[in-house]
Amino acid sequence: MRYKEELLRLIGEVIFPENIYCVGCGEPIKKNEIYSLCEKCREMLIYSRPETCVRCGRFVKKRETVFCEHCGARPPKYDRGAAAVVYNDAARKMIYDLKYGGKGYVAKNAAGIMQRCVENLGGHDIIIPVPVHKNKIKARGFCQTTLISESLSKLTGIPVLKGNLVRTKDTLPMSGLEPEERRNNIRDAFDVTDASCILGKKVLLIDDLLTTGSTAEECARVLKGSGAAEVSLAVFASPYSKNKN
Ligand SMILES: [Zn+2]
Ligand SMILES: [Zn+2]
């Protein structure tokens, strides 16, 4: 099974070779461009440093209050959060290509861009990817959160714990659901197979996108229930959130 996934990923990389086109806009780039991004996309993704909510890491337009609208009403179940880039056109294309375009190598570029914000979150004992249901992994040929986690592990030296936090329920797409419906949709979708690997550990949870946060929160709830000392969340991208009124 893992062999088949790896083979599909490698075939994808032959069909879509990296470092020829910009992963943010698809324009041709020079071979040595950092993160496979053209100058315009690099500017859009990396050099724009918007204000962030101190609790969850979501971006806010103006730092009038300390928390974003999500955390102001109800603090998240994870201890700290950080997003590497704003969910703009370039980030949207990268996530789309990674999840639906067979371009597994985009995970490496995303991880490279995430490295600094992961290091700023503090020290962690283990990296755990937000689990993706096996039906989606089968369709995609790989698990995008695992690929990002493995690349981040190479960059930071923090080991990845795979196959311990698992997804037991294939949920409905979250788009179009109200916050309460999202929380119900995701409830009991995750399980820990061996709590002894998590007990007392500072866990860094990795996802590609943070929107309402209900998936990451449910993972954090399950991990803390299994004895994790701390759970931080790092995501590649997150849209702007409103400030708390
Ligand atoms: Zn570009
Ligand atoms: Zn927040």
Side-chain angles (χ1 to χ4, degrees), residues 53-58 67-72 76 241:
C53 166
V54 295
R55 189 104 201 228
C56 70
R58 284 185 177 87
F67 302 132
C68 74
E69 57 168 351
H70 295 272
C71 299
S241 171

Side-chain angles (χ1 to χ4, degrees), residues 23-224:
V23 289
C25 68
E27 289 294 312
I29 51 166
K30 286 182 233 117
K31 187 85 184 147
N32 57 352
E33 293 281 15
I34 189 166
Y35 309 130
S36 282
L37 287 168
C38 73
E39 207 173 315
K40 191 183 92 219
C41 291
R42 206 159 52 233
E43 183 73 34
M44 184 161 45
L45 282 174
I46 300 167
Y47 302 130
S48 64
R49 297 298 329 153
E51 298 281 3
T52 55
C53 166
V54 295
R55 189 104 201 228
C56 70
R58 284 185 177 87
F59 298 105
V60 286
K61 290 263 183 196
K62 220 165 118 195
R63 180 83 159 274
E64 287 155 345
T65 51
V66 180
F67 302 132
C68 74
E69 57 168 351
H70 295 272
C71 299
R74 199 179 56 89
K77 299 232 171 0
Y78 46 86
D79 300 284
R80 291 184 303 279
V85 300
V86 175
Y87 190 51
N88 54 26
D89 287 346
R92 196 171 294 117
K93 177 168 165 38
M94 285 179 72
I95 291 177
Y96 185 88
D97 284 350
L98 177 59
K99 284 163 90 165
Y100 310 108
K103 300 181 184 179
Y105 64 82
V106 174
K108 200 164 71 183
N109 299 309
I113 298 169
M114 288 169 77
Q115 184 182 359
R116 197 195 302 172
C117 87
V118 161
E119 286 167 350
N120 288 344
L121 268 177
H124 295 95
D125 302 312
I126 42 173
I127 293 177
I128 295 187
V130 166
V132 174
H133 194 268
K134 60 179 187 303
N135 292 348
K136 290 200 177 78
I137 296 174
K138 211 170 160 190
R140 237 164 249 170
F142 53 78
C143 168
Q144 78 280 1
T145 55
T146 303
L147 291 187
I148 296 173
S149 299
E150 284 170 344
S151 290
L152 271 170
S153 177
K154 278 186 199 141
L155 295 168
T156 60
I158 308 166
V160 186
L161 184 65
K162 284 190 282 187
N164 201 325
L165 180 67
V166 291
R167 193 155 191 148
T168 51
K169 202 166 93 176
D170 197 6
T171 48
L172 299 166
M174 290 291 206
S175 51
L177 298 182
E178 294 295 319
E180 188 56 36
E181 292 172 318
R182 285 176 183 238
R183 283 196 286 275
N184 288 335
N185 187 31
I186 204 76
R187 189 157 294 141
D188 301 324
F190 303 101
D191 204 2
V192 164
T193 56
D194 183 359
S196 67
C197 304
I198 287 162
L199 188 67
K201 295 282 195 308
K202 291 181 184 172
V203 178
L204 175 64
L205 198 55
I206 298 293
D207 209 352
D208 44 56
L209 181 64
L210 173 67
T211 51
T212 63
S214 36
T215 304
E217 289 213 41
E218 183 61 11
C219 288
R221 189 183 70 80
V222 171
L223 289 168
K224 288 203 163 181

